Amino acid sequence: MARGFGRLRRDDLLRTACDVIAAQGFGHTRTADIAQAAGVSQALLFYHFETKEKLFAQAFAYAAERDLEALTKLEESGGSPLDRLRGLLKLYSPTGRSKSWALWIDAWAESMRNADLEEMSRRMDLRWRQALRAIIDEGAAAGVFTCADPDGATWRIVSLIDGLSTQMTVHKRVLPRARMAEFVRTATAGELGLSLDVLS
């Protein structure tokens, strides 16, 4: 029996949607699958989210916000630019059995067909780039980093992590996590005029 409107919070539906999408992928998930997993009617899903596209976009945002909460804590930590740079590189890269990167990759692919999801994923991407750019700018101003092209450096570092993380997530065991971290540290050190050991 479907649960009543007042007994099921919106977050519960989004959490369930994330679990179903992570298991089946955006392209193979139906609203009926999410409704069944949540123990509700499809009518209740559409009451809260209006369309399948909006449900998917908001489920992705819900999952991404968990990562962004950690990013916000890092930004507010008061650490040095170098400490926050190390922290951001670690946060943005795949770790353990986290489903985050699998959802990100799937969301990017589905965004070519879902305008709501494309807008949401673009906004989340921008948030990470802005955070890295702020760290680079602060470090350069303090003389800790040497970087002639902060915007280009931001794009290159993020794009490298995106590409390597995609390889590591999709083609398991092709690229060890330690090797990926080495590539990222080497590239970042080169972009910011740092010695490799300070990022280790």
Side-chain angles (χ1 to χ4, degrees), residues 117-167:
L117 191 55
E118 187 278 330
E119 180 182 359
M120 190 66 70
S121 66
R122 179 161 34 88
R123 184 160 60 85
M124 297 298 174
D125 280 346
L126 177 61
R127 179 74 176 79
W128 284 98
R129 288 200 308 276
Q130 288 174 331
L132 177 57
R133 174 63 188 271
I135 291 172
I136 291 175
D137 286 343
E138 184 178 341
V144 178
F145 305 150
T146 302
C147 183
D149 181 12
D151 186 60
T154 299
W155 272 105
R156 286 187 291 271
I157 292 169
V158 169
S159 296
L160 176 65
I161 298 174
D162 287 345
L164 293 176
S165 297
T166 299
Q167 285 287 335

Side-chain angles (χ1 to χ4, degrees), residues 27 37 52 76 99 131 142 167 179:
K52 175 183 176 180
E76 298 174 349
K99 299 176 182 177
Q167 285 287 335
R179 186 68 166 148

Side-chain angles (χ1 to χ4, degrees), residues 65-200:
E65 284 293 345
R66 308 287 79 78
D67 295 328
L68 292 181
E69 286 173 5
L71 177 60
T72 298
K73 287 181 182 178
L74 176 69
E75 291 174 314
E76 298 174 349
S77 66
S80 69
L82 187 55
D83 286 338
R84 281 180 284 129
L85 175 64
R86 291 193 201 99
L88 186 145
L89 295 179
K90 183 176 180 181
L91 279 177
Y92 196 55
S93 300
T95 56
R97 296 183 178 179
S98 172
K99 299 176 182 177
S100 296
W101 265 101
L103 279 173
W104 272 99
I105 294 165
D106 205 16
W108 283 334
E110 188 65 21
S111 290
M112 293 187 289
R113 296 171 290 276
N114 181 332
D116 291 311
L117 191 55
E118 187 278 330
E119 180 182 359
M120 190 66 70
S121 66
R122 179 161 34 88
R123 184 160 60 85
M124 297 298 174
D125 280 346
L126 177 61
R127 179 74 176 79
W128 284 98
R129 288 200 308 276
Q130 288 174 331
L132 177 57
R133 174 63 188 271
I135 291 172
I136 291 175
D137 286 343
E138 184 178 341
V144 178
F145 305 150
T146 302
C147 183
D149 181 12
D151 186 60
T154 299
W155 272 105
R156 286 187 291 271
I157 292 169
V158 169
S159 296
L160 176 65
I161 298 174
D162 287 345
L164 293 176
S165 297
T166 299
Q167 285 287 335
M168 203 172 89
T169 303
V170 175
H171 306 297
K172 301 186 188 306
R173 294 184 295 277
V174 167
L175 179 65
R177 186 173 293 109
R179 186 68 166 148
M180 173 185 163
E182 178 189 343
F183 291 159
V184 172
R185 288 194 302 269
T186 300
T188 302
E191 290 284 358
L192 304 182
L194 298 170
S195 60
L196 188 55
D197 62 293
V198 303
L199 290 177
S200 301

